[in-house]
Amino acid sequence: MSLPFSSDRTLYQQLADSFAESIHQGTLKPGKRLPAIRRVAQSHQVSVNTVLNAWQLLEDRGLIEARPQSGYYVRGVLPAVTRSVKPPPADIHDPSAQKLALIEQVFAAQNNPDYTNISLACPQDSELFPSARLARITASLLRREPGIVGRYALPPGSERLREEIARRALLAGLTLTPQAITLTHGCMEALQLALRAVTQPGDCVGLESPTYFFLFPLLASLGLKALEIPTDPQRGLSLEALEMLLQEKRIQALVAMPGAQNPLGYVMPLARKKRLAELVNTYNVPLIEDGLYDELQFDWPLSPPVKAFDRDGWVIYCTSFTKTVAPDFRVGWTAAGRFHAAIARLKAVSSMTESRLLSETLAEFLASGGYDHHLRSLRRRYAANLDAARGILARHFPQGTRATLPRGGFVFWVELPGDIDTVALFHRLLQEQICVTPGALYTLSDRYRHALRLSCCYPFDERYTWALKRTGALACEMTGLAPGQDHGLPLRPQVV
């Protein structure tokens, strides 16, 4: 059997992907020996060196291991988190001063360059982004139009960028006009503008549980309350619980991330996305859909956002290019349906619009081609990093540790066994200049004190892997449990 030709993947990478898929799907189970190298070379019509390089790549991902005078074997991997340990009660919460102080402490540590960060969801590897190409485009724009930096950019912002966004949105099942798109200063401003447009102080907003922790101070700054809704680590938001809340009119808006959710990493199944769109349109409650990681889904074709099934304009879609192209540009956008005019007005009085130079640079990059190729490379990089990180956890974290199976993005959720408080673990690690994000940040209740969110958007170098191993060693010390786990579940379907 010969390998299919791929112009952007070497033969050994394609061979590694093929065997990785068998491991992910459970065809090759933990502890099973791989076929002999020469046999693989003959059956796939490649050289022995190609097979050796493929095996080395699989070793680097943490999927296989060499055993002296025996061959290569599939490594044990972490069991998955299959359901919420304790469904959150349907209580309305205000963020406590203590919770907000912990968030500030985590951010302060994450901003310290002397610390090794293994949890911040801000990619730190320059190789992940097309920086050189963006620099060339920016320089070319300045040569052609040097006066661009001497003129104010006015609302609604770059028409060319909005045209490119509308064109690309078709690939995700969204039919948008440039006039229906509002440019924002990243995704966080899009979420803030959406909340300001659809709520009033004192209103209650439904959230996933666990959810992105910076939503809590955002709600607090707007005088809003939060109600956490049970969320399955594989299927997403409980639509049954949501419908009860909608029937009882207990929430005035909903914020959710159905695609590669932070921190769990799930992608909501398509049928449930359609049902979610139906619910918010039926009960006339706005859904603010955070699509920040949608283009980093691992499965192909990409699952469309809930906005693609929005019948009457009750879904406000928010996203940005900060995780995929240029973090420092901070260029985001929103398609707000029936709330477009309100959000456009709020944007104009808040921060006018986005930099014309940066917007035109991004528009040129999107129009010139190469973005999809860049995204494929980024997805493969993050998928490989997640595999390798979960492999390290399987060997160095306490026996009984479980982790989610991300279907996109670069963060995952880890639940530790035994009696452990990950806030205490966070403080212990700070003393060794390692920064993690404790699970307690992702809720306003007392849940998830045994959990962590980890991130794989850093150079997967000796410093990063040492920090993961040291975190595991300290967790073993605090739980009194031995490291290592030989059994487990497949990771996830292979990336395309």
Side-chain angles (χ1 to χ4, degrees):
M1 178 183 70
S2 60
L3 292 169
F5 175 75
S6 175
S7 59
D8 62 346
R9 301 288 279 166
T10 65
L11 282 176
Y12 81 85
Q13 289 172 327
Q14 293 178 61
L15 183 63
D17 288 346
S18 176
F19 274 84
E21 183 173 8
S22 296
I23 295 171
H24 295 149
Q25 293 179 343
T27 305
L28 292 173
K29 299 184 182 301
K32 183 175 180 60
R33 182 182 178 183
L34 296 184
I37 291 174
R38 292 191 181 277
R39 180 179 174 187
V40 174
Q42 292 172 354
S43 63
H44 288 80
Q45 300 176 23
V46 297
S47 70
V48 168
N49 282 339
T50 296
V51 180
L52 288 171
N53 287 333
W55 273 202
Q56 179 64 56
L57 184 57
L58 291 172
E59 274 194 288
D60 292 342
R61 293 185 186 179
L63 297 181
I64 67 172
E65 62 185 357
R67 297 181 185 175
Q69 299 180 339
S70 181
Y72 288 86
Y73 290 78
V74 179
R75 274 180 168 168
V77 294
L78 287 175
V81 179
T82 55
R83 61 184 180 277
S84 298
V85 174
K86 188 197 303 182
D91 296 332
I92 296 173
H93 291 282
D94 291 310
S96 67
Q98 183 179 13
K99 185 77 67 174
L100 297 178
L102 181 59
I103 291 174
E104 290 177 0
Q105 187 175 13
V106 169
F107 261 104
Q110 289 174 336
N111 285 327
N112 190 326
D114 295 330
Y115 283 43
T116 302
N117 204 314
I118 57 175
S119 63
L120 182 64
C122 296
Q124 300 293 312
D125 190 346
S126 60
E127 294 182 1
L128 296 172
F129 302 107
S131 304
R133 188 170 180 186
L134 292 173
R136 289 194 297 270
I137 293 173
T138 303
S140 175
L141 283 170
L142 287 170
R143 284 194 302 269
R144 298 196 312 264
E145 195 177 349
I148 191 172
V149 295
R151 294 193 298 272
Y152 278 99
L154 298 174
S158 169
E159 183 175 8
R160 189 182 183 202
L161 178 55
R162 288 182 287 117
E163 288 173 350
E164 287 300 322
I165 290 172
R167 180 182 64 81
R168 285 200 59 83
L170 289 171
L171 303 175
L174 301 178
T175 303
L176 303 174
T177 65
Q179 292 72 34
I181 294 166
T182 301
L183 300 181
T184 63
H185 195 60
C187 192
M188 276 302 297
E189 187 186 41
L191 296 173
Q192 183 199 69
L193 293 172
L195 284 166
R196 290 171 62 191
V198 302
T199 64
Q200 298 177 355
D203 281 352
C204 184
V205 178
L207 302 174
E208 298 156 311
S209 183
T211 192
Y212 173 47
F213 62 80
F214 214 70
L215 288 175
F216 299 133
L218 174 58
L219 294 182
S221 72
L222 298 175
L224 301 172
K225 301 180 184 297
L227 195 155
E228 298 177 49
I229 302 172
T231 303
D232 183 270
Q234 296 175 341
R235 289 160 49 85
L237 195 70
S238 170
L239 300 185
E240 298 74 23
L242 173 63
E243 185 166 18
M244 291 179 59
L245 295 172
L246 294 173
Q247 289 173 344
E248 296 169 3
K249 299 181 179 180
R250 296 189 61 190
I251 59 174
Q252 284 70 54
L254 172 68
V255 179
M257 184 182 274
Q261 192 251 14
N262 177 5
L264 297 176
Y266 73 82
V267 173
M268 181 180 280
L270 189 61
R272 296 180 67 81
K273 287 185 176 182
K274 293 178 179 179
R275 176 59 178 158
L276 178 54
E278 180 184 354
L279 284 173
V280 297
N281 277 275
T282 298
Y283 290 95
N284 296 348
V285 171
L287 164 63
I288 302 171
E289 181 178 12
D290 186 343
L292 187 59
Y293 295 93
D294 276 355
E295 291 191 301
L296 295 177
Q297 296 177 56
F298 296 153
D299 295 326
W300 188 264
L302 302 182
S303 177
V306 176
K307 179 66 177 175
F309 311 107
D310 185 17
R311 184 180 67 233
D312 298 322
W314 287 94
V315 179
I316 303 173
Y317 186 72
C318 304
T319 188
S320 86
F321 296 97
T322 56
K323 305 297 185 186
T324 57
V325 181
D328 194 56
F329 280 25
R330 302 294 300 175
V331 175
W333 60 276
T334 180
R338 63 175 55 237
F339 304 102
H340 169 72
I343 286 179
R345 284 194 297 270
L346 286 170
K347 169 62 179 177
V349 300
S350 299
S351 55
M352 293 292 283
T353 189
E354 297 308 300
S355 160
R356 186 179 171 206
L357 175 61
L358 299 183
S359 296
E360 293 296 317
T361 297
L362 189 53
E364 177 68 22
F365 175 75
L366 296 177
S368 62
Y371 183 44
D372 289 307
H373 174 79
H374 165 69
L375 286 175
R376 286 195 298 271
S377 298
L378 205 55
R379 293 178 195 125
R380 284 194 292 264
R381 175 77 171 271
Y382 287 145
N385 283 359
L386 285 164
D387 286 346
R390 295 183 85 254
I392 290 173
L393 266 63
R395 299 187 297 279
H396 295 276
F397 274 55
Q399 292 186 16
T401 297
R402 305 182 74 84
T404 54
L405 310 174
R407 304 298 293 263
F410 44 74
V411 300
F412 64 109
W413 184 254
V414 180
E415 295 185 349
L416 298 172
D419 184 16
I420 187 170
D421 184 344
T422 54
V423 174
L425 176 62
F426 162 74
H427 288 293
R428 289 279 301 272
L429 287 167
L430 283 186
Q431 298 173 18
E432 303 189 28
Q433 295 187 323
I434 298 172
C435 187
V436 300
T437 310
L441 259 64
Y442 298 86
T443 178
L444 293 178
S445 71
D446 292 327
R447 293 182 303 278
Y448 312 134
R449 298 191 73 87
H450 65 303
L452 296 168
R453 186 196 72 181
L454 297 179
S455 176
C456 296
C457 59
Y458 303 93
F460 214 91
D461 54 18
E462 184 177 351
R463 179 181 178 182
Y464 177 82
T465 56
W466 170 82
L468 280 179
K469 293 174 183 178
R470 181 59 190 147
T471 301
L474 198 51
C476 289
E477 177 187 322
M478 294 177 70
T479 59
L481 297 171
Q485 185 92 348
D486 292 330
H487 66 278
L489 301 175
L491 298 183
R492 59 177 132 62
Q494 178 58 16
V495 184
V496 295

